[in-house]
Amino acid sequence: MKIIVLVKQVPNTTEVKLDPKTGNLIREGIESIINPDDRHALEAAAQLKEAVNGKVTALSMGPPQAIDAVSEAMGMGADEGVLLTDRAFAGADTWATSTTLGKAVETLGGFDLILCGRQAIDGDTAQIGPQVADYLKVPQVSYVIAIEEIKEKSIVVRRRLEDGYERVECNLPALLTVIGEMNAPRHPRVDRLIDACREKAPVRIWNAADIGVQTRDIGLDGSLTHVVKTFAPKLQRQTEMIQGDTKSAVNTLVGRLREKKLI
């Protein structure tokens, strides 16, 4: 079974700050990590690999330093890694990113299953997985909490709903987006990390030409949306002290709540 896992390197959002002048994220000095949901996708891929004797490829798009995320993915069980890095990829929205990842998947050749996290913590769009599936014209299942069975031409999974779950059988090849409740990701093996860092493991670096994309279709030029401004909302609190005895204070409070249509 050939499995591809989409992995993104993101800033640790517990430490993220915005530049008050530009509105951009301050990335200097901020720790970068594998997107948490993607770690669960890697664990699911590793478990499938062990169960059905599959092959796992970690695929990431980002700046050159994102090779650390690919190396860590290999430490968690991926057999090979591919990093898409090119200035032409910069500024991509989810549409252009999905196009780039889809072209890379096509360049890799056939696959049986693509796994990725539900969403990235730096964007929270949850659009990449579904858009890649749409680009590749394969079925998709989102919010997957468990993989129950692998058949010859299909896969049976459970997907989380607000009040429970549903059991879905999906034809292969397919794409699944997984959630954090699915599993507990393993720690990377030190020996595999060392192999990745020493280039003993097959890590490929691809640019736009390697995957055969036109610059007009990727990066900022290929994006359908553009971020005009990013800012942190200002918190403003208004307080009114209600005076009087308990009965009158309660009546006043109820009146205020009714005025604001809160009751």
Side-chain angles (χ1 to χ4, degrees), residues 76-246:
M76 293 178 65
D79 298 290
E80 63 177 4
V82 176
L83 173 62
L84 305 173
T85 185
D86 192 317
R87 288 187 177 274
F89 299 149
D93 67 355
T94 59
W95 177 270
T97 298
S98 300
T99 298
T100 304
L101 291 170
K103 290 293 291 185
V105 170
E106 290 177 338
T107 304
L108 282 168
F111 65 93
D112 298 297
L113 190 64
I114 298 177
L115 296 172
C116 58
R118 173 193 56 173
Q119 63 188 44
I121 58 175
D122 61 346
D124 287 337
T125 65
Q127 294 174 355
I128 295 298
Q131 286 180 339
V132 170
D134 183 70
Y135 177 89
L136 296 170
K137 294 180 173 55
V138 297
Q140 58 171 297
V141 184
S142 58
Y143 288 79
V144 172
I145 192 174
I147 297 175
E148 293 189 349
E149 186 179 0
I150 299 287
K151 300 182 180 181
E152 184 178 353
K153 296 183 179 180
S154 66
I155 186 170
V156 181
V157 303
R158 275 184 286 163
R159 69 183 301 265
R160 171 65 72 195
L161 302 176
E162 289 185 3
D163 55 353
Y165 68 87
E166 64 181 355
R167 194 168 182 265
V168 180
E169 183 170 356
C170 178
N171 291 334
L172 294 174
L175 183 147
L176 310 179
T177 71
V178 309
I179 60 177
E181 299 170 64
M182 186 179 195
N183 52 45
R186 66 192 66 187
H187 295 291
R189 277 176 40 181
V190 175
D191 60 330
R192 294 181 64 90
L193 283 173
I194 292 174
D195 286 345
C197 293
R198 290 179 177 176
E199 299 183 354
K200 290 183 179 180
V203 180
R204 286 174 277 180
I205 310 296
W206 286 352
N207 58 27
D210 292 322
I211 60 175
V213 292
Q214 301 293 323
T215 55
R216 65 173 181 269
D217 298 324
I218 58 174
L220 190 60
D221 290 342
S223 297
L224 302 182
T225 60
H226 298 274
V227 177
V228 177
K229 183 180 181 181
T230 303
F231 62 93
K234 295 181 180 180
L235 296 177
Q236 294 182 340
R237 296 181 178 179
Q238 295 180 343
T239 303
E240 178 183 351
M241 300 298 296
I242 299 176
Q243 305 294 332
D245 57 52
T246 302

Side-chain angles (χ1 to χ4, degrees), residues 5-11 32-36 38-39 42 57-78 80-83 188 192-193 196-197 203 205:
V5 184
L6 305 183
V7 177
K8 184 179 183 182
Q9 186 184 62
V10 297
S32 292
I33 60 174
I34 289 182
N35 180 57
D38 296 347
R39 292 177 60 83
L42 283 165
T57 300
L59 173 62
S60 184
M61 178 182 124
Q65 59 265 32
I67 195 171
D68 292 341
V70 178
S71 298
E72 185 175 351
M74 297 180 68
M76 293 178 65
E80 63 177 4
V82 176
L83 173 62
R192 294 181 64 90
L193 283 173
C197 293
V203 180
I205 310 296

